[in-house]
Amino acid sequence: MVVIGDSEIHGVELSYWLKIRAITQKIHFIFGQKQDTNYRKPRQKYHPLSNLPVSPGTKIFLSNINITQNKGLGSFNLVAYWKRKYKNKMEKEPWYLLTNLESLD
């Protein structure tokens, strides 16, 4: 099962709940995050997702990061994806996706 939600869900707490259930059940999740959400790589300071160096046509996969400054939620994987320009149309900003999937594939 894969649970998908947009950034309006505020899915960090739900992600943690699903992550705990995924230990014994085959559950995956992907939740959009707002660009002002804070993230932290291990042993570094928190930064807003908008600081990630993603540009149109690129993808970034970060594993084992903390999302938000709330304590006790553990680590997650994060994808930053900005769709490339196509037929003179381009997304205004990248997508930030919180997930427990192991890779971009």
Side-chain angles (χ1 to χ4, degrees), residues 35-92:
Q35 65 181 356
D36 62 349
T37 302
N38 290 307
Y39 79 99
R40 179 176 65 109
K41 294 179 183 178
R43 296 177 293 285
Q44 293 186 11
K45 293 182 180 181
Y46 281 95
H47 298 283
L49 293 173
S50 60
N51 282 12
L52 285 170
V54 62
S55 58
T58 62
K59 300 174 190 174
I60 297 173
F61 183 83
L62 301 173
S63 59
N64 198 31
I65 61 137
N66 294 102
I67 196 85
T68 78
Q69 295 184 36
N70 297 345
K71 302 276 186 212
L73 296 177
S75 60
F76 299 94
N77 297 330
L78 180 81
V79 175
Y81 169 67
W82 199 336
K83 191 175 181 178
R84 67 179 175 84
K85 187 175 184 179
Y86 183 71
K87 294 187 178 183
N88 291 326
K89 293 183 182 179
M90 188 172 71
E91 295 289 328
K92 294 178 184 177

